[in-house]
Short mmCIF file of all heavy atoms in Angstrom, two decimals:
data_model
loop_
_atom_site.label_atom_id
_atom_site.label_comp_id
_atom_site.label_asym_id
_atom_site.label_seq_id
_atom_site.Cartn_x
_atom_site.Cartn_y
_atom_site.Cartn_z
N PHE S 24 6.30 -11.22 -5.02
CA PHE S 24 5.61 -10.78 -3.81
C PHE S 24 5.83 -9.29 -3.58
O PHE S 24 4.90 -8.53 -3.29
CB PHE S 24 6.11 -11.53 -2.57
CG PHE S 24 5.61 -12.93 -2.41
CD1 PHE S 24 6.49 -13.94 -2.05
CD2 PHE S 24 4.27 -13.25 -2.59
CE1 PHE S 24 6.04 -15.24 -1.88
CE2 PHE S 24 3.82 -14.55 -2.42
CZ PHE S 24 4.70 -15.55 -2.06
N THR S 25 7.08 -8.87 -3.71
CA THR S 25 7.43 -7.47 -3.47
C THR S 25 6.73 -6.56 -4.48
O THR S 25 6.18 -5.52 -4.10
CB THR S 25 8.96 -7.28 -3.52
OG1 THR S 25 9.55 -8.15 -2.55
CG2 THR S 25 9.36 -5.85 -3.23
N THR S 26 6.72 -6.95 -5.72
CA THR S 26 6.02 -6.17 -6.76
C THR S 26 4.53 -6.07 -6.45
O THR S 26 3.92 -5.01 -6.61
CB THR S 26 6.24 -6.82 -8.14
OG1 THR S 26 7.65 -6.83 -8.41
CG2 THR S 26 5.51 -6.08 -9.24
N ASP S 27 3.94 -7.17 -6.00
CA ASP S 27 2.51 -7.16 -5.64
C ASP S 27 2.23 -6.19 -4.50
O ASP S 27 1.24 -5.45 -4.53
CB ASP S 27 2.04 -8.56 -5.25
CG ASP S 27 1.99 -9.53 -6.42
OD1 ASP S 27 2.07 -9.08 -7.58
OD2 ASP S 27 1.88 -10.74 -6.16
N VAL S 28 3.08 -6.19 -3.48
CA VAL S 28 2.88 -5.29 -2.34
C VAL S 28 3.01 -3.83 -2.78
O VAL S 28 2.22 -2.97 -2.37
CB VAL S 28 3.86 -5.61 -1.20
CG1 VAL S 28 3.83 -4.52 -0.12
CG2 VAL S 28 3.51 -6.95 -0.58
N LEU S 29 3.95 -3.55 -3.65
CA LEU S 29 4.12 -2.17 -4.13
C LEU S 29 2.92 -1.74 -4.98
O LEU S 29 2.50 -0.58 -4.90
CB LEU S 29 5.43 -2.02 -4.90
CG LEU S 29 6.68 -2.13 -4.02
CD1 LEU S 29 7.94 -2.11 -4.88
CD2 LEU S 29 6.72 -1.03 -2.96
N ALA S 30 2.36 -2.65 -5.76
CA ALA S 30 1.15 -2.32 -6.53
C ALA S 30 -0.02 -2.04 -5.58
O ALA S 30 -0.80 -1.10 -5.80
CB ALA S 30 0.81 -3.46 -7.49
N LEU S 31 -0.13 -2.84 -4.54
CA LEU S 31 -1.18 -2.61 -3.55
C LEU S 31 -0.95 -1.28 -2.82
O LEU S 31 -1.90 -0.53 -2.56
CB LEU S 31 -1.22 -3.77 -2.55
CG LEU S 31 -2.27 -3.67 -1.45
CD1 LEU S 31 -3.68 -3.57 -2.03
CD2 LEU S 31 -2.17 -4.88 -0.53
N TYR S 32 0.29 -0.97 -2.50
CA TYR S 32 0.63 0.30 -1.87
C TYR S 32 0.18 1.46 -2.77
O TYR S 32 -0.46 2.41 -2.29
CB TYR S 32 2.13 0.39 -1.59
CG TYR S 32 2.55 1.76 -1.12
CD1 TYR S 32 2.45 2.11 0.23
CD2 TYR S 32 3.05 2.71 -2.01
CE1 TYR S 32 2.82 3.38 0.67
CE2 TYR S 32 3.43 3.96 -1.57
CZ TYR S 32 3.31 4.30 -0.24
OH TYR S 32 3.67 5.55 0.19
N ASP S 33 0.51 1.39 -4.05
CA ASP S 33 0.12 2.46 -4.99
C ASP S 33 -1.39 2.61 -5.03
O ASP S 33 -1.92 3.74 -5.04
CB ASP S 33 0.65 2.16 -6.40
CG ASP S 33 2.16 2.26 -6.48
OD1 ASP S 33 2.79 2.93 -5.62
OD2 ASP S 33 2.73 1.65 -7.42
N TRP S 34 -2.10 1.49 -5.07
CA TRP S 34 -3.56 1.51 -5.11
C TRP S 34 -4.12 2.17 -3.84
O TRP S 34 -4.98 3.04 -3.90
CB TRP S 34 -4.09 0.08 -5.25
CG TRP S 34 -5.57 0.00 -5.34
CD1 TRP S 34 -6.33 0.06 -6.48
CD2 TRP S 34 -6.49 -0.18 -4.25
NE1 TRP S 34 -7.67 -0.06 -6.16
CE2 TRP S 34 -7.78 -0.20 -4.79
CE3 TRP S 34 -6.33 -0.31 -2.88
CZ2 TRP S 34 -8.92 -0.35 -4.01
CZ3 TRP S 34 -7.46 -0.46 -2.09
CH2 TRP S 34 -8.74 -0.49 -2.66
N ALA S 35 -3.61 1.75 -2.68
CA ALA S 35 -4.09 2.29 -1.40
C ALA S 35 -3.73 3.77 -1.26
O ALA S 35 -4.55 4.57 -0.80
CB ALA S 35 -3.52 1.49 -0.24
N LYS S 36 -2.52 4.13 -1.66
CA LYS S 36 -2.07 5.52 -1.54
C LYS S 36 -2.94 6.44 -2.39
O LYS S 36 -3.28 7.55 -1.96
CB LYS S 36 -0.60 5.62 -1.94
CG LYS S 36 0.05 6.92 -1.58
CD LYS S 36 0.20 7.02 -0.07
CE LYS S 36 0.95 8.26 0.32
NZ LYS S 36 0.84 8.55 1.75
N ALA S 37 -3.31 5.99 -3.56
CA ALA S 37 -4.14 6.80 -4.45
C ALA S 37 -5.54 7.03 -3.87
O ALA S 37 -6.22 7.98 -4.25
CB ALA S 37 -4.26 6.12 -5.82
N ARG S 38 -5.97 6.20 -2.95
CA ARG S 38 -7.32 6.29 -2.40
C ARG S 38 -7.37 6.70 -0.93
O ARG S 38 -8.44 6.84 -0.37
CB ARG S 38 -8.01 4.93 -2.56
CG ARG S 38 -8.33 4.62 -4.00
CD ARG S 38 -8.47 3.11 -4.24
NE ARG S 38 -8.77 2.81 -5.63
CZ ARG S 38 -7.89 2.81 -6.60
NH1 ARG S 38 -6.63 3.08 -6.36
NH2 ARG S 38 -8.24 2.52 -7.84
N SER S 39 -6.22 6.88 -0.31
CA SER S 39 -6.19 7.07 1.13
C SER S 39 -6.17 8.52 1.59
O SER S 39 -6.25 8.78 2.79
CB SER S 39 -4.99 6.35 1.74
OG SER S 39 -3.80 6.99 1.33
N GLY S 40 -6.00 9.45 0.69
CA GLY S 40 -5.88 10.83 1.11
C GLY S 40 -4.64 11.01 1.96
O GLY S 40 -3.56 10.61 1.59
N ASN S 41 -4.84 11.57 3.14
CA ASN S 41 -3.72 11.81 4.05
C ASN S 41 -3.57 10.71 5.10
O ASN S 41 -2.82 10.86 6.05
CB ASN S 41 -3.86 13.16 4.74
CG ASN S 41 -3.65 14.31 3.76
OD1 ASN S 41 -2.90 14.18 2.81
ND2 ASN S 41 -4.34 15.41 4.00
N SER S 42 -4.31 9.63 4.94
CA SER S 42 -4.23 8.54 5.92
C SER S 42 -2.87 7.86 5.86
O SER S 42 -2.24 7.78 4.81
CB SER S 42 -5.31 7.49 5.63
OG SER S 42 -6.59 8.04 5.80
N SER S 43 -2.45 7.37 7.01
CA SER S 43 -1.18 6.64 7.08
C SER S 43 -1.33 5.27 6.43
O SER S 43 -2.39 4.65 6.50
CB SER S 43 -0.77 6.44 8.54
OG SER S 43 -0.47 7.66 9.13
N ILE S 44 -0.26 4.84 5.81
CA ILE S 44 -0.21 3.48 5.25
C ILE S 44 1.01 2.81 5.86
O ILE S 44 2.12 3.35 5.82
CB ILE S 44 -0.11 3.50 3.72
CG1 ILE S 44 -1.37 4.11 3.12
CG2 ILE S 44 0.12 2.09 3.19
CD1 ILE S 44 -1.37 4.22 1.62
N LEU S 45 0.79 1.64 6.43
CA LEU S 45 1.90 0.89 6.98
C LEU S 45 1.92 -0.50 6.39
O LEU S 45 0.92 -0.99 5.89
CB LEU S 45 1.84 0.85 8.51
CG LEU S 45 0.60 0.27 9.16
CD1 LEU S 45 0.78 -1.19 9.47
CD2 LEU S 45 0.33 1.03 10.45
N PHE S 46 3.10 -1.09 6.41
CA PHE S 46 3.25 -2.48 5.98
C PHE S 46 3.26 -3.34 7.23
O PHE S 46 4.02 -3.07 8.17
CB PHE S 46 4.55 -2.70 5.21
CG PHE S 46 4.61 -2.03 3.86
CD1 PHE S 46 5.83 -1.81 3.25
CD2 PHE S 46 3.47 -1.64 3.19
CE1 PHE S 46 5.91 -1.21 2.00
CE2 PHE S 46 3.53 -1.03 1.94
CZ PHE S 46 4.76 -0.82 1.35
N TRP S 47 2.41 -4.36 7.24
CA TRP S 47 2.33 -5.28 8.38
C TRP S 47 2.56 -6.67 7.82
O TRP S 47 1.76 -7.17 7.05
CB TRP S 47 0.97 -5.19 9.04
CG TRP S 47 0.83 -5.95 10.32
CD1 TRP S 47 1.11 -7.27 10.55
CD2 TRP S 47 0.35 -5.44 11.57
NE1 TRP S 47 0.84 -7.61 11.85
CE2 TRP S 47 0.37 -6.49 12.50
CE3 TRP S 47 -0.09 -4.19 11.98
CZ2 TRP S 47 -0.04 -6.34 13.82
CZ3 TRP S 47 -0.50 -4.04 13.29
CH2 TRP S 47 -0.46 -5.10 14.19
N GLY S 48 3.66 -7.28 8.23
CA GLY S 48 3.96 -8.62 7.76
C GLY S 48 3.95 -9.60 8.92
O GLY S 48 4.36 -9.26 10.03
#
């Protein structure tokens, strides 16, 4: 699960520019 979330974070960060990214569980 943790590895999947980090992969998703990397994907979102690469496409988000300067937008904030937060984890919501």
Side-chain angles (χ1 to χ4, degrees):
F24 283 136
T25 302
T26 299
D27 290 347
V28 169
L29 291 174
L31 180 59
Y32 172 84
D33 291 339
W34 182 88
K36 193 69 175 167
R38 290 157 180 78
S39 69
N41 290 330
S42 296
S43 294
I44 295 178
L45 57 94
F46 292 161
W47 188 307

